[in-house]
Amino acid sequence: MAGRLPGGAAATASPLPRALLLLAALALFSLSFLSLRSLRPAASPSLALDNSRSLPPSFARPSVYHSPEAFASGYAEMERNFKVYIYPDGDPKTFYQTPRKLTGKYASEGYFFQNIRESRFRTDDPDQAHLFFVPISPHKMRGKGTSYENMTIIVKDYVEGLINKYPYWNRTLGADHFFVTCHDVGVRAFEGLPFMVKNSIRVVCSPSYNVDFIPHKDIALPQVLQPFALPEGGNDVKNRTILGFWAGHRNSKIRVILARVWENDTELAISNNRISRAIGELVYQKQFYHTKFCICPGGSQVNSARISDSIHYGCVPVILSDYYDLPFNDILDWRKFAVVLKECDVYQLKSILKSISQEEFVALHKYLVQIQKHFVWHSPPVPYDAFHMVMYELWLRHHVIKY
């Protein structure tokens, strides 16, 4: 038949087309496989370490940190590279360079001044510095009886003297400068320098949005009452039989309401006065050990040293303040170890606390114990303590400043 090869010829010619067909099929299969692989999502780059197994145990997920890998990586980078220049001007015997003291509810300011001066982060070469520290202490002025009016003048004259003497301020209009103040008067002391309040990083213990605090720029300094009278609490859930506790002076509207509404309650231990020492030694501090939730209402400012007291003694803090940027809020997930409420929630306080199951309370308490190390000051400082956490916050801020 026309077009048909003889049988013998067909037998000898067929292997070659079959081989070509097989090669073509293999090529098509390889291309298809490679195409499918290219559609798979690429592995996410690590923000920190090579793998999660190299993270410290406290950084493992689920975690009290918003991003444990990013924190571990950034903290390590800060330790290696961060440099701060401290202006050398000012008489150390007056208001500059040295803290007033390392005790009391404003001890955080004193500890920072001392630790930064003696730390590896300090550099004497301003050209190597990432940030510049303006070391003037309103707390020390207050201790020497300086009036608010004179305080403002002293701060203004000192900062303007630095601006005129050194070129560093004018490079960024002060954006790479910071100052530290824990005393309430620190807000008033800098009123004569509105450009500094606007541009520089404020590390303050009164981080309220209604006193010009700017969360993405400024830093909330934890107010820590040191030295602590008693050791840390923690891993002692079975001893905590009191639902809620607060005792203090009624020096703010929210405290007045708290005392008026709940001071006669049988499940909440609420007192409108500090517990008198006449009742017994350290009764106030010992109450923290037996309480599940410690109420932390704002005082004359939104902040309160009672928050760090609660954390130290292992009592879950109940934040009862409006406009409060909590310390290390962009690093720590506060809702993992605290109850964060608005002031208007004070009227439902008891029902809110009772709605928290025992299982949920145990989880809050467990995370609370994990972050205790971040809310204590040491001299010399130790890794991950309050000083290093503040330095890490400053390290994060310096990345934003690009001129």
Side-chain angles (χ1 to χ4, degrees), residues 47 66-67 69-79 82-84 121 130-131 175 201 215-219 328-332 388-402:
L47 292 174
H66 290 302
S67 178
E69 295 91 347
F71 177 44
S73 174
Y75 185 94
E77 186 182 3
M78 172 200 74
E79 287 272 27
F82 196 20
K83 296 299 177 186
V84 173
F121 300 112
H130 298 97
L131 293 179
I201 302 168
H216 67 272
K217 174 180 75 71
D218 299 330
I219 294 170
F328 318 136
N329 198 31
D330 51 351
I331 304 169
L332 302 175
H388 282 91
M389 292 294 283
V390 173
M391 293 304 295
Y392 180 66
E393 290 278 25
L394 288 166
W395 173 250
L396 293 178
R397 300 305 190 276
H398 109 270
H399 286 292
V400 180
I401 304 163
K402 302 293 182 184

mmCIF file of all heavy atoms in Angstrom, residues 47 66-67 69-79 82-84 121 130-131 175 201 215-219 328-332 388-402:
data_model
loop_
_atom_site.group_PDB
_atom_site.id
_atom_site.type_symbol
_atom_site.label_atom_id
_atom_site.label_comp_id
_atom_site.label_asym_id
_atom_site.label_seq_id
_atom_site.Cartn_x
_atom_site.Cartn_y
_atom_site.Cartn_z
ATOM 1 N N LEU A 47 14.705 36.922 60.843
ATOM 2 C CA LEU A 47 14.943 38.269 61.347
ATOM 3 C C LEU A 47 16.084 38.291 62.340
ATOM 4 O O LEU A 47 16.563 39.346 62.708
ATOM 5 C CB LEU A 47 13.671 38.791 62.032
ATOM 6 C CG LEU A 47 12.482 39.060 61.128
ATOM 7 C CD1 LEU A 47 11.272 39.428 61.974
ATOM 8 C CD2 LEU A 47 12.797 40.149 60.136
ATOM 9 N N HIS A 66 6.521 40.465 71.400
ATOM 10 C CA HIS A 66 5.799 40.593 70.137
ATOM 11 C C HIS A 66 6.510 39.813 69.031
ATOM 12 O O HIS A 66 5.872 39.137 68.226
ATOM 13 C CB HIS A 66 5.677 42.066 69.739
ATOM 14 C CG HIS A 66 4.759 42.863 70.607
ATOM 15 N ND1 HIS A 66 3.433 42.543 70.787
ATOM 16 C CD2 HIS A 66 4.967 43.978 71.361
ATOM 17 C CE1 HIS A 66 2.862 43.421 71.601
ATOM 18 N NE2 HIS A 66 3.778 44.294 71.971
ATOM 19 N N SER A 67 7.834 39.947 68.974
ATOM 20 C CA SER A 67 8.629 39.243 67.978
ATOM 21 C C SER A 67 9.915 38.778 68.645
ATOM 22 O O SER A 67 10.897 39.523 68.679
ATOM 23 C CB SER A 67 8.937 40.138 66.778
ATOM 24 O OG SER A 67 9.754 39.473 65.840
ATOM 25 N N GLU A 69 12.245 36.643 67.817
ATOM 26 C CA GLU A 69 13.430 36.559 66.974
ATOM 27 C C GLU A 69 14.011 37.949 66.703
ATOM 28 O O GLU A 69 15.224 38.162 66.768
ATOM 29 C CB GLU A 69 13.102 35.865 65.650
ATOM 30 C CG GLU A 69 12.692 34.413 65.796
ATOM 31 C CD GLU A 69 11.191 34.249 65.950
ATOM 32 O OE1 GLU A 69 10.502 35.271 66.184
ATOM 33 O OE2 GLU A 69 10.700 33.108 65.868
ATOM 34 N N ALA A 70 13.132 38.909 66.385
ATOM 35 C CA ALA A 70 13.601 40.265 66.104
ATOM 36 C C ALA A 70 14.244 40.881 67.341
ATOM 37 O O ALA A 70 15.265 41.577 67.253
ATOM 38 C CB ALA A 70 12.436 41.131 65.619
ATOM 39 N N PHE A 71 13.662 40.629 68.511
ATOM 40 C CA PHE A 71 14.225 41.168 69.743
ATOM 41 C C PHE A 71 15.596 40.564 70.028
ATOM 42 O O PHE A 71 16.559 41.272 70.345
ATOM 43 C CB PHE A 71 13.270 40.910 70.910
ATOM 44 C CG PHE A 71 13.797 41.363 72.251
ATOM 45 C CD1 PHE A 71 14.418 42.600 72.391
ATOM 46 C CD2 PHE A 71 13.673 40.550 73.364
ATOM 47 C CE1 PHE A 71 14.897 43.022 73.627
ATOM 48 C CE2 PHE A 71 14.152 40.952 74.603
ATOM 49 C CZ PHE A 71 14.771 42.192 74.732
ATOM 50 N N ALA A 72 15.717 39.248 69.919
ATOM 51 C CA ALA A 72 16.997 38.594 70.175
ATOM 52 C C ALA A 72 18.074 39.102 69.224
ATOM 53 O O ALA A 72 19.209 39.371 69.624
ATOM 54 C CB ALA A 72 16.838 37.075 70.044
ATOM 55 N N SER A 73 17.719 39.247 67.943
ATOM 56 C CA SER A 73 18.678 39.716 66.948
ATOM 57 C C SER A 73 19.066 41.171 67.187
ATOM 58 O O SER A 73 20.247 41.533 67.192
ATOM 59 C CB SER A 73 18.082 39.555 65.553
ATOM 60 O OG SER A 73 18.922 40.130 64.584
ATOM 61 N N GLY A 74 18.044 42.034 67.387
ATOM 62 C CA GLY A 74 18.320 43.450 67.593
ATOM 63 C C GLY A 74 19.099 43.711 68.859
ATOM 64 O O GLY A 74 19.994 44.576 68.895
ATOM 65 N N TYR A 75 18.775 42.977 69.910
ATOM 66 C CA TYR A 75 19.482 43.146 71.179
ATOM 67 C C TYR A 75 20.961 42.790 71.022
ATOM 68 O O TYR A 75 21.841 43.506 71.505
ATOM 69 C CB TYR A 75 18.834 42.267 72.241
ATOM 70 C CG TYR A 75 19.405 42.434 73.636
ATOM 71 C CD1 TYR A 75 18.826 43.300 74.548
ATOM 72 C CD2 TYR A 75 20.530 41.722 74.030
ATOM 73 C CE1 TYR A 75 19.355 43.457 75.822
ATOM 74 C CE2 TYR A 75 21.064 41.865 75.291
ATOM 75 C CZ TYR A 75 20.465 42.722 76.184
ATOM 76 O OH TYR A 75 21.005 42.873 77.445
ATOM 77 N N ALA A 76 21.240 41.688 70.334
ATOM 78 C CA ALA A 76 22.628 41.279 70.113
ATOM 79 C C ALA A 76 23.377 42.322 69.286
ATOM 80 O O ALA A 76 24.543 42.645 69.565
ATOM 81 C CB ALA A 76 22.666 39.912 69.414
ATOM 82 N N GLU A 77 22.702 42.876 68.271
ATOM 83 C CA GLU A 77 23.332 43.911 67.450
ATOM 84 C C GLU A 77 23.604 45.157 68.267
ATOM 85 O O GLU A 77 24.645 45.798 68.131
ATOM 86 C CB GLU A 77 22.441 44.237 66.246
ATOM 87 C CG GLU A 77 23.082 45.200 65.263
ATOM 88 C CD GLU A 77 22.155 45.551 64.111
ATOM 89 O OE1 GLU A 77 21.002 45.092 64.106
ATOM 90 O OE2 GLU A 77 22.597 46.314 63.235
ATOM 91 N N MET A 78 22.661 45.526 69.133
ATOM 92 C CA MET A 78 22.861 46.679 70.015
ATOM 93 C C MET A 78 24.086 46.482 70.894
ATOM 94 O O MET A 78 24.930 47.384 71.037
ATOM 95 C CB MET A 78 21.626 46.884 70.884
ATOM 96 C CG MET A 78 21.808 47.933 71.969
ATOM 97 S SD MET A 78 20.615 47.780 73.329
ATOM 98 C CE MET A 78 21.245 46.328 74.191
ATOM 99 N N GLU A 79 24.210 45.307 71.494
ATOM 100 C CA GLU A 79 25.350 45.023 72.370
ATOM 101 C C GLU A 79 26.675 45.170 71.626
ATOM 102 O O GLU A 79 27.668 45.623 72.195
ATOM 103 C CB GLU A 79 25.215 43.603 72.939
ATOM 104 C CG GLU A 79 24.146 43.452 74.003
ATOM 105 C CD GLU A 79 24.691 43.749 75.394
ATOM 106 O OE1 GLU A 79 25.654 44.522 75.499
ATOM 107 O OE2 GLU A 79 24.148 43.201 76.369
ATOM 108 N N PHE A 82 26.199 49.629 69.489
ATOM 109 C CA PHE A 82 25.594 50.889 69.918
ATOM 110 C C PHE A 82 26.597 51.772 70.657
ATOM 111 O O PHE A 82 27.289 51.316 71.566
ATOM 112 C CB PHE A 82 24.401 50.592 70.820
ATOM 113 C CG PHE A 82 23.464 51.755 71.014
ATOM 114 C CD1 PHE A 82 23.427 52.826 70.138
ATOM 115 C CD2 PHE A 82 22.593 51.773 72.095
ATOM 116 C CE1 PHE A 82 22.543 53.885 70.308
ATOM 117 C CE2 PHE A 82 21.715 52.807 72.290
ATOM 118 C CZ PHE A 82 21.692 53.872 71.400
ATOM 119 N N LYS A 83 26.652 53.048 70.275
ATOM 120 C CA LYS A 83 27.547 54.012 70.911
ATOM 121 C C LYS A 83 26.790 55.303 71.208
ATOM 122 O O LYS A 83 26.052 55.819 70.361
ATOM 123 C CB LYS A 83 28.749 54.327 70.019
ATOM 124 C CG LYS A 83 29.665 53.135 69.753
ATOM 125 C CD LYS A 83 30.273 52.586 71.033
ATOM 126 C CE LYS A 83 31.134 51.362 70.785
ATOM 127 N NZ LYS A 83 31.611 50.761 72.058
ATOM 128 N N VAL A 84 27.003 55.830 72.420
ATOM 129 C CA VAL A 84 26.351 57.057 72.861
ATOM 130 C C VAL A 84 27.414 58.034 73.352
ATOM 131 O O VAL A 84 28.313 57.648 74.123
ATOM 132 C CB VAL A 84 25.345 56.768 73.998
ATOM 133 C CG1 VAL A 84 24.801 58.064 74.581
ATOM 134 C CG2 VAL A 84 24.202 55.894 73.485
ATOM 135 N N PHE A 121 28.560 51.192 76.210
ATOM 136 C CA PHE A 121 27.886 51.966 75.163
ATOM 137 C C PHE A 121 28.456 53.383 75.042
ATOM 138 O O PHE A 121 28.267 54.039 74.029
ATOM 139 C CB PHE A 121 26.385 52.057 75.455
ATOM 140 C CG PHE A 121 25.696 50.727 75.522
ATOM 141 C CD1 PHE A 121 25.183 50.252 76.715
ATOM 142 C CD2 PHE A 121 25.574 49.937 74.394
ATOM 143 C CE1 PHE A 121 24.555 49.020 76.788
ATOM 144 C CE2 PHE A 121 24.943 48.700 74.446
ATOM 145 C CZ PHE A 121 24.432 48.243 75.655
ATOM 146 N N HIS A 130 25.970 57.086 67.785
ATOM 147 C CA HIS A 130 24.658 56.985 67.151
ATOM 148 C C HIS A 130 23.694 58.007 67.759
ATOM 149 O O HIS A 130 22.851 58.560 67.063
ATOM 150 C CB HIS A 130 24.075 55.583 67.334
ATOM 151 C CG HIS A 130 24.899 54.504 66.702
ATOM 152 N ND1 HIS A 130 25.808 53.748 67.410
ATOM 153 C CD2 HIS A 130 24.951 54.054 65.417
ATOM 154 C CE1 HIS A 130 26.382 52.871 66.592
ATOM 155 N NE2 HIS A 130 25.878 53.036 65.386
ATOM 156 N N LEU A 131 23.815 58.229 69.073
ATOM 157 C CA LEU A 131 22.956 59.176 69.778
ATOM 158 C C LEU A 131 23.789 59.998 70.750
ATOM 159 O O LEU A 131 24.902 59.608 71.137
ATOM 160 C CB LEU A 131 21.847 58.447 70.544
ATOM 161 C CG LEU A 131 20.776 57.708 69.731
ATOM 162 C CD1 LEU A 131 19.781 57.024 70.673
ATOM 163 C CD2 LEU A 131 20.041 58.645 68.780
ATOM 164 N N ALA A 175 17.300 65.602 66.717
ATOM 165 C CA ALA A 175 16.587 64.329 66.600
ATOM 166 C C ALA A 175 17.416 63.148 67.086
ATOM 167 O O ALA A 175 16.850 62.108 67.450
ATOM 168 C CB ALA A 175 16.155 64.099 65.151
ATOM 169 N N ILE A 201 14.526 62.755 71.709
ATOM 170 C CA ILE A 201 13.919 61.574 72.335
ATOM 171 C C ILE A 201 13.812 61.834 73.829
ATOM 172 O O ILE A 201 14.816 62.075 74.497
ATOM 173 C CB ILE A 201 14.770 60.323 72.078
ATOM 174 C CG1 ILE A 201 14.942 60.092 70.579
ATOM 175 C CG2 ILE A 201 14.147 59.102 72.748
ATOM 176 C CD1 ILE A 201 15.994 59.045 70.236
ATOM 177 N N PRO A 215 4.586 58.528 71.202
ATOM 178 C CA PRO A 215 4.984 57.131 71.410
ATOM 179 C C PRO A 215 6.062 56.613 70.466
ATOM 180 O O PRO A 215 6.956 55.900 70.898
ATOM 181 C CB PRO A 215 3.670 56.368 71.226
ATOM 182 C CG PRO A 215 2.605 57.346 71.563
ATOM 183 C CD PRO A 215 3.122 58.673 71.084
ATOM 184 N N HIS A 216 6.003 56.947 69.177
ATOM 185 C CA HIS A 216 6.980 56.373 68.257
ATOM 186 C C HIS A 216 8.343 57.036 68.376
ATOM 187 O O HIS A 216 9.329 56.544 67.838
ATOM 188 C CB HIS A 216 6.477 56.475 66.811
ATOM 189 C CG HIS A 216 6.375 57.878 66.296
ATOM 190 N ND1 HIS A 216 5.247 58.644 66.466
ATOM 191 C CD2 HIS A 216 7.259 58.662 65.632
ATOM 192 C CE1 HIS A 216 5.438 59.826 65.911
ATOM 193 N NE2 HIS A 216 6.648 59.866 65.407
ATOM 194 N N LYS A 217 8.415 58.169 69.087
ATOM 195 C CA LYS A 217 9.676 58.896 69.262
ATOM 196 C C LYS A 217 10.196 58.785 70.684
ATOM 197 O O LYS A 217 11.369 58.477 70.912
ATOM 198 C CB LYS A 217 9.482 60.377 68.897
ATOM 199 C CG LYS A 217 10.703 61.258 69.178
ATOM 200 C CD LYS A 217 10.454 62.699 68.807
ATOM 201 C CE LYS A 217 9.559 63.437 69.787
ATOM 202 N NZ LYS A 217 10.222 63.695 71.098
ATOM 203 N N ASP A 218 9.340 59.015 71.651
ATOM 204 C CA ASP A 218 9.747 59.032 73.053
ATOM 205 C C ASP A 218 9.712 57.622 73.657
ATOM 206 O O ASP A 218 9.188 56.692 73.053
ATOM 207 C CB ASP A 218 8.841 59.974 73.848
ATOM 208 C CG ASP A 218 8.914 61.412 73.336
ATOM 209 O OD1 ASP A 218 9.985 61.790 72.816
ATOM 210 O OD2 ASP A 218 7.916 62.142 73.435
ATOM 211 N N ILE A 219 10.261 57.498 74.861
ATOM 212 C CA ILE A 219 10.403 56.189 75.509
ATOM 213 C C ILE A 219 9.851 56.269 76.926
ATOM 214 O O ILE A 219 10.145 57.212 77.672
ATOM 215 C CB ILE A 219 11.886 55.761 75.540
ATOM 216 C CG1 ILE A 219 12.404 55.526 74.121
ATOM 217 C CG2 ILE A 219 12.074 54.507 76.395
ATOM 218 C CD1 ILE A 219 13.901 55.333 74.048
ATOM 219 N N PHE A 328 8.309 49.611 77.466
ATOM 220 C CA PHE A 328 8.700 48.528 76.567
ATOM 221 C C PHE A 328 7.495 47.952 75.817
ATOM 222 O O PHE A 328 7.465 46.763 75.459
ATOM 223 C CB PHE A 328 9.426 47.420 77.337
ATOM 224 C CG PHE A 328 10.415 47.922 78.351
ATOM 225 C CD1 PHE A 328 10.478 47.363 79.625
ATOM 226 C CD2 PHE A 328 11.280 48.965 78.052
ATOM 227 C CE1 PHE A 328 11.378 47.822 80.568
ATOM 228 C CE2 PHE A 328 12.194 49.429 78.993
ATOM 229 C CZ PHE A 328 12.237 48.857 80.258
ATOM 230 N N ASN A 329 6.513 48.792 75.564
ATOM 231 C CA ASN A 329 5.245 48.356 74.961
ATOM 232 C C ASN A 329 5.426 47.800 73.549
ATOM 233 O O ASN A 329 4.649 46.959 73.105
ATOM 234 C CB ASN A 329 4.272 49.541 74.931
ATOM 235 C CG ASN A 329 2.836 49.107 74.749
ATOM 236 O OD1 ASN A 329 2.448 48.034 75.181
ATOM 237 N ND2 ASN A 329 2.039 49.932 74.096
ATOM 238 N N ASP A 330 6.445 48.268 72.827
ATOM 239 C CA ASP A 330 6.673 47.771 71.475
ATOM 240 C C ASP A 330 7.523 46.500 71.459
ATOM 241 O O ASP A 330 7.731 45.906 70.401
ATOM 242 C CB ASP A 330 7.311 48.846 70.590
ATOM 243 C CG ASP A 330 8.539 49.486 71.225
ATOM 244 O OD1 ASP A 330 8.787 49.220 72.423
ATOM 245 O OD2 ASP A 330 9.243 50.248 70.540
ATOM 246 N N ILE A 331 7.981 46.066 72.630
ATOM 247 C CA ILE A 331 8.753 44.824 72.744
ATOM 248 C C ILE A 331 7.929 43.742 73.427
ATOM 249 O O ILE A 331 7.875 42.603 72.968
ATOM 250 C CB ILE A 331 10.049 45.062 73.546
ATOM 251 C CG1 ILE A 331 10.883 46.184 72.920
ATOM 252 C CG2 ILE A 331 10.861 43.771 73.641
ATOM 253 C CD1 ILE A 331 12.021 46.652 73.793
ATOM 254 N N LEU A 332 7.268 44.119 74.526
ATOM 255 C CA LEU A 332 6.512 43.170 75.339
ATOM 256 C C LEU A 332 5.025 43.235 75.020
ATOM 257 O O LEU A 332 4.477 44.322 74.825
ATOM 258 C CB LEU A 332 6.711 43.476 76.829
ATOM 259 C CG LEU A 332 8.146 43.462 77.358
ATOM 260 C CD1 LEU A 332 8.165 43.901 78.817
ATOM 261 C CD2 LEU A 332 8.766 42.089 77.208
ATOM 262 N N HIS A 388 19.331 47.860 80.152
ATOM 263 C CA HIS A 388 19.536 47.352 78.796
ATOM 264 C C HIS A 388 18.260 47.430 77.960
ATOM 265 O O HIS A 388 18.331 47.618 76.736
ATOM 266 C CB HIS A 388 20.045 45.910 78.854
ATOM 267 C CG HIS A 388 21.500 45.800 79.196
ATOM 268 N ND1 HIS A 388 21.948 45.683 80.485
ATOM 269 C CD2 HIS A 388 22.604 45.808 78.407
ATOM 270 C CE1 HIS A 388 23.269 45.614 80.489
ATOM 271 N NE2 HIS A 388 23.694 45.684 79.249
ATOM 272 N N MET A 389 17.109 47.302 78.589
ATOM 273 C CA MET A 389 15.855 47.437 77.847
ATOM 274 C C MET A 389 15.665 48.874 77.358
ATOM 275 O O MET A 389 15.212 49.105 76.227
ATOM 276 C CB MET A 389 14.686 47.000 78.708
ATOM 277 C CG MET A 389 14.650 45.512 79.013
ATOM 278 S SD MET A 389 14.360 44.472 77.561
ATOM 279 C CE MET A 389 12.586 44.704 77.354
ATOM 280 N N VAL A 390 16.020 49.841 78.202
ATOM 281 C CA VAL A 390 15.935 51.246 77.775
ATOM 282 C C VAL A 390 16.937 51.510 76.653
ATOM 283 O O VAL A 390 16.623 52.192 75.675
ATOM 284 C CB VAL A 390 16.175 52.189 78.971
ATOM 285 C CG1 VAL A 390 16.257 53.639 78.494
ATOM 286 C CG2 VAL A 390 15.059 52.047 79.999
ATOM 287 N N MET A 391 18.130 50.960 76.779
ATOM 288 C CA MET A 391 19.125 51.138 75.725
ATOM 289 C C MET A 391 18.647 50.505 74.417
ATOM 290 O O MET A 391 18.883 51.052 73.329
ATOM 291 C CB MET A 391 20.460 50.524 76.147
ATOM 292 C CG MET A 391 21.142 51.234 77.306
ATOM 293 S SD MET A 391 21.431 53.000 77.006
ATOM 294 C CE MET A 391 22.606 52.964 75.660
ATOM 295 N N TYR A 392 17.965 49.383 74.512
ATOM 296 C CA TYR A 392 17.441 48.756 73.295
ATOM 297 C C TYR A 392 16.369 49.631 72.654
ATOM 298 O O TYR A 392 16.310 49.755 71.424
ATOM 299 C CB TYR A 392 16.881 47.364 73.604
ATOM 300 C CG TYR A 392 16.325 46.666 72.392
ATOM 301 C CD1 TYR A 392 17.163 46.285 71.343
ATOM 302 C CD2 TYR A 392 14.962 46.399 72.269
ATOM 303 C CE1 TYR A 392 16.660 45.648 70.225
ATOM 304 C CE2 TYR A 392 14.450 45.770 71.142
ATOM 305 C CZ TYR A 392 15.307 45.393 70.125
ATOM 306 O OH TYR A 392 14.807 44.779 68.999
ATOM 307 N N GLU A 393 15.523 50.244 73.472
ATOM 308 C CA GLU A 393 14.525 51.179 72.936
ATOM 309 C C GLU A 393 15.217 52.338 72.220
ATOM 310 O O GLU A 393 14.780 52.772 71.153
ATOM 311 C CB GLU A 393 13.635 51.706 74.058
ATOM 312 C CG GLU A 393 12.680 50.689 74.667
ATOM 313 C CD GLU A 393 11.411 50.522 73.845
ATOM 314 O OE1 GLU A 393 11.444 50.799 72.634
ATOM 315 O OE2 GLU A 393 10.392 50.113 74.427
ATOM 316 N N LEU A 394 16.282 52.855 72.797
ATOM 317 C CA LEU A 394 17.043 53.928 72.144
ATOM 318 C C LEU A 394 17.664 53.425 70.843
ATOM 319 O O LEU A 394 17.691 54.149 69.839
ATOM 320 C CB LEU A 394 18.129 54.448 73.087
ATOM 321 C CG LEU A 394 17.640 55.289 74.268
ATOM 322 C CD1 LEU A 394 18.742 55.445 75.315
ATOM 323 C CD2 LEU A 394 17.170 56.670 73.791
ATOM 324 N N TRP A 395 18.164 52.211 70.868
ATOM 325 C CA TRP A 395 18.745 51.614 69.661
ATOM 326 C C TRP A 395 17.708 51.531 68.540
ATOM 327 O O TRP A 395 18.001 51.825 67.377
ATOM 328 C CB TRP A 395 19.283 50.235 70.002
ATOM 329 C CG TRP A 395 19.768 49.415 68.853
ATOM 330 C CD1 TRP A 395 19.192 48.292 68.343
ATOM 331 C CD2 TRP A 395 20.956 49.634 68.071
ATOM 332 N NE1 TRP A 395 19.940 47.790 67.291
ATOM 333 C CE2 TRP A 395 21.017 48.597 67.100
ATOM 334 C CE3 TRP A 395 21.955 50.598 68.080
ATOM 335 C CZ2 TRP A 395 22.051 48.496 66.172
ATOM 336 C CZ3 TRP A 395 22.988 50.505 67.148
ATOM 337 C CH2 TRP A 395 23.030 49.471 66.214
ATOM 338 N N LEU A 396 16.487 51.157 68.886
ATOM 339 C CA LEU A 396 15.420 51.115 67.875
ATOM 340 C C LEU A 396 15.142 52.503 67.320
ATOM 341 O O LEU A 396 14.929 52.668 66.110
ATOM 342 C CB LEU A 396 14.145 50.542 68.491
ATOM 343 C CG LEU A 396 14.156 49.074 68.910
ATOM 344 C CD1 LEU A 396 12.821 48.697 69.542
ATOM 345 C CD2 LEU A 396 14.444 48.168 67.715
ATOM 346 N N ARG A 397 15.133 53.512 68.199
ATOM 347 C CA ARG A 397 14.825 54.876 67.753
ATOM 348 C C ARG A 397 15.907 55.411 66.830
ATOM 349 O O ARG A 397 15.618 56.165 65.898
ATOM 350 C CB ARG A 397 14.678 55.814 68.953
ATOM 351 C CG ARG A 397 13.596 55.475 69.973
ATOM 352 C CD ARG A 397 12.224 55.335 69.358
ATOM 353 N NE ARG A 397 11.171 55.245 70.363
ATOM 354 C CZ ARG A 397 10.801 54.134 70.985
ATOM 355 N NH1 ARG A 397 11.431 52.987 70.731
ATOM 356 N NH2 ARG A 397 9.813 54.146 71.860
ATOM 357 N N HIS A 398 17.150 55.039 67.060
ATOM 358 C CA HIS A 398 18.226 55.621 66.253
ATOM 359 C C HIS A 398 18.120 55.195 64.798
ATOM 360 O O HIS A 398 18.580 55.902 63.902
ATOM 361 C CB HIS A 398 19.593 55.262 66.844
ATOM 362 C CG HIS A 398 20.382 54.276 66.038
ATOM 363 N ND1 HIS A 398 20.284 52.905 66.235
ATOM 364 C CD2 HIS A 398 21.268 54.438 65.023
ATOM 365 C CE1 HIS A 398 21.076 52.286 65.376
ATOM 366 N NE2 HIS A 398 21.680 53.182 64.632
ATOM 367 N N HIS A 399 17.502 54.055 64.519
ATOM 368 C CA HIS A 399 17.350 53.592 63.134
ATOM 369 C C HIS A 399 16.402 54.507 62.348
ATOM 370 O O HIS A 399 16.445 54.529 61.118
ATOM 371 C CB HIS A 399 16.811 52.154 63.110
ATOM 372 C CG HIS A 399 17.819 51.137 63.503
ATOM 373 N ND1 HIS A 399 18.922 50.844 62.747
ATOM 374 C CD2 HIS A 399 17.905 50.337 64.602
ATOM 375 C CE1 HIS A 399 19.641 49.897 63.342
ATOM 376 N NE2 HIS A 399 19.038 49.571 64.470
ATOM 377 N N VAL A 400 15.540 55.227 63.037
ATOM 378 C CA VAL A 400 14.567 56.082 62.364
ATOM 379 C C VAL A 400 15.207 57.388 61.912
ATOM 380 O O VAL A 400 14.735 58.053 61.008
ATOM 381 C CB VAL A 400 13.380 56.364 63.316
ATOM 382 C CG1 VAL A 400 12.338 57.260 62.649
ATOM 383 C CG2 VAL A 400 12.748 55.058 63.767
ATOM 384 N N ILE A 401 16.321 57.748 62.556
ATOM 385 C CA ILE A 401 16.955 59.042 62.291
ATOM 386 C C ILE A 401 17.946 58.889 61.134
ATOM 387 O O ILE A 401 19.005 58.308 61.291
ATOM 388 C CB ILE A 401 17.685 59.550 63.546
ATOM 389 C CG1 ILE A 401 16.720 59.620 64.736
ATOM 390 C CG2 ILE A 401 18.321 60.907 63.292
ATOM 391 C CD1 ILE A 401 17.415 59.720 66.063
ATOM 392 N N LYS A 402 17.579 59.372 59.971
ATOM 393 C CA LYS A 402 18.431 59.293 58.801
ATOM 394 C C LYS A 402 18.564 60.692 58.192
ATOM 395 O O LYS A 402 17.602 61.243 57.661
ATOM 396 C CB LYS A 402 17.858 58.327 57.763
ATOM 397 C CG LYS A 402 17.660 56.893 58.279
ATOM 398 C CD LYS A 402 18.995 56.218 58.569
ATOM 399 C CE LYS A 402 18.779 54.792 59.021
ATOM 400 N NZ LYS A 402 20.042 54.119 59.396
#
